[in-house]
Amino acid sequence: SNSRRMMVSSEFKGFQVDYMLYIEDLKVAFSNLLSTPNYKLNTQELIDKLSALYRSRNTITELFDMINQMHSINDSIYAHCVNVAMISRMIGRWLHFDQHDLDILTCCGLLHDIGKLAIPNDILNKPGKLTDEEFALIKSHPKLGYDMLVNQDVDSRIKQSVLMHHERYDGSGYPNGLTSEFLPDFAMIVTIADVYDAMTASRSYREPLCAFQVIENFEREGYQKYHTKYIYTFLHQIASTYQNNRIMLNDGRGAKIVMLNQSQLSKPIIQFDNGECIDLSTTKDLYISKVL
């Protein structure tokens, strides 16, 4: 499969090294922010290094495959922040943002979960069900992160994204249950990147979802929780990235994606090796379970 070939390539091994080195830089910066009074976070240095990591990949498909492979890293907060930063930057490019806004958006993604560093690891990584008190503590991380950055000389959109990346357009999010008219654009882009990376990572209660399963989850919610333009742009680009890619169905059969259904991106038209084609939007029981 494409992903297996990628994992043994020299390019992926180089990406792994650069990725891990960047995480170490991020740990130092975050640690200094938490422990050193009046520490000034150098966001431009963090942005420049991450931008170089982003540019090191040849194609969007390759970048997504490499990001997915980095989900095995145990430092989930830092790896997740790096992934969300790169996915946010990708969305900004698809939306034709200028260089300055791309950099700010990247930093929004990079810092969005910094508040989790104030929460004990045994709660963050608890394999079983959280108590109400533990869940309330985890839900406080946007405010904790905002408080860490409130006196930093950084763009206000970064602080907004840290505080609001769990808010939803329909008011169902937290910490303040804000609705669409109060939610800034950059925070809503980071929200989409955050949810996508979380869904494609493994959890104690489920296997990682493939891109088309994530798209189906977004479609099932009816997009009402997210900025319509941003979520549709993102999902359309993700689905298009895997055009002509081989996939595996939930019944174990392999096939190739030959055409997208614009009204149901999670259910493209696929072709089996014998030439038979199926429109997955017309089937109830079949779905894409893995991108090969």
Side-chain angles (χ1 to χ4, degrees):
S1 68
N2 289 337
S3 60
R4 287 175 180 168
R5 284 194 294 270
M6 181 270 295
M7 287 176 64
V8 299
S9 68
S10 59
E11 289 82 2
F12 178 62
K13 293 175 182 177
F15 180 84
Q16 280 184 305
V17 171
D18 292 341
Y19 187 102
M20 295 304 299
L21 289 173
Y22 185 79
I23 282 183
E24 292 306 310
D25 289 341
L26 195 61
K27 286 182 180 179
V28 171
F30 284 8
S31 176
N32 288 336
L33 178 62
L34 291 173
S35 62
T36 307
N38 302 317
Y39 178 76
K40 296 300 180 184
L41 191 63
N42 189 339
T43 55
Q44 192 57 54
E45 182 179 359
L46 292 173
I47 291 167
D48 290 344
K49 289 183 177 180
L50 187 66
S51 298
L53 184 64
Y54 178 97
R55 290 193 302 269
S56 67
R57 308 284 44 90
N58 294 322
T59 66
I60 294 296
T61 305
E62 185 182 67
L63 182 59
F64 266 109
D65 285 343
M66 291 188 176
I67 287 174
N68 286 337
Q69 294 304 324
M70 302 315 290
H71 282 142
S72 61
I73 293 176
N74 290 328
D75 292 320
S76 58
I77 294 177
Y78 298 97
H80 176 61
C81 284
V82 172
N83 292 349
V84 170
M86 287 196 284
I87 296 170
S88 296
R89 190 176 187 88
M90 217 176 296
I91 297 172
R93 288 192 62 187
W94 288 332
L95 294 167
H96 308 294
F97 284 6
D98 63 31
Q99 187 64 45
H100 176 70
D101 282 351
L102 279 177
D103 287 347
I104 296 299
L105 180 59
T106 301
C107 199
C108 290
L110 191 62
L111 298 176
H112 81 285
D113 259 355
I114 194 171
K116 285 186 176 179
L117 297 178
I119 298 174
N121 283 330
D122 60 338
I123 294 178
L124 283 176
N125 301 320
K126 183 177 178 179
K129 185 177 180 180
L130 295 169
T131 66
D132 291 343
E133 292 78 12
E134 290 168 339
F135 188 50
L137 181 57
I138 287 181
K139 288 177 68 174
S140 72
H141 78 269
K143 180 62 166 58
L144 293 172
Y146 177 81
D147 290 342
M148 293 175 190
L149 298 177
V150 68
N151 294 320
Q152 290 287 319
D153 183 22
V154 297
D155 193 290
S156 63
R157 290 171 291 183
I158 297 172
K159 299 174 185 179
Q160 290 173 341
S161 295
V162 171
L163 180 62
M164 301 181 190
H165 68 276
H166 279 289
E167 301 286 359
R168 297 293 184 264
Y169 249 43
D170 61 358
S172 63
Y174 63 86
N176 296 309
L178 301 177
T179 51
S180 58
E181 62 268 29
F182 301 106
L183 298 176
D185 289 353
F186 279 32
M188 292 298 92
I189 293 173
V190 171
T191 292
I192 294 168
D194 179 38
V195 172
Y196 181 84
D197 189 65
M199 285 187 179
T200 52
S202 62
R203 291 291 183 264
S204 59
Y205 52 88
R206 63 158 172 80
E207 293 294 312
L209 303 181
C210 82
F212 287 91
Q213 290 172 303
V214 175
I215 292 171
E216 185 173 11
N217 280 350
F218 278 119
E219 290 174 337
R220 192 180 301 121
E221 290 185 342
Y223 304 154
Q224 72 268 20
K225 294 180 182 294
Y226 309 95
H227 188 296
T228 304
K229 175 184 176 182
Y230 297 159
I231 188 61
Y232 188 76
T233 296
F234 176 68
L235 297 182
H236 183 269
Q237 290 288 350
I238 292 292
S240 298
T241 294
Y242 293 107
Q243 179 85 33
N244 298 318
N245 220 97
R246 285 196 64 80
I247 54 88
M248 181 180 291
L249 295 176
N250 58 307
D251 64 1
R253 287 183 292 171
K256 181 176 75 171
I257 297 172
V258 294
M259 186 179 297
L260 298 178
N261 279 310
Q262 298 301 325
S263 60
Q264 198 171 2
L265 293 167
S266 63
K267 299 280 191 176
I269 298 170
I270 61 170
Q271 184 177 42
F272 297 105
D273 293 340
N274 64 4
E276 178 191 1
C277 291
I278 292 181
D279 182 348
L280 291 178
S281 69
T282 65
T283 66
K284 291 183 178 181
D285 300 326
L286 288 179
Y287 60 86
I288 296 173
S289 63
K290 186 178 293 187
V291 176
L292 301 177

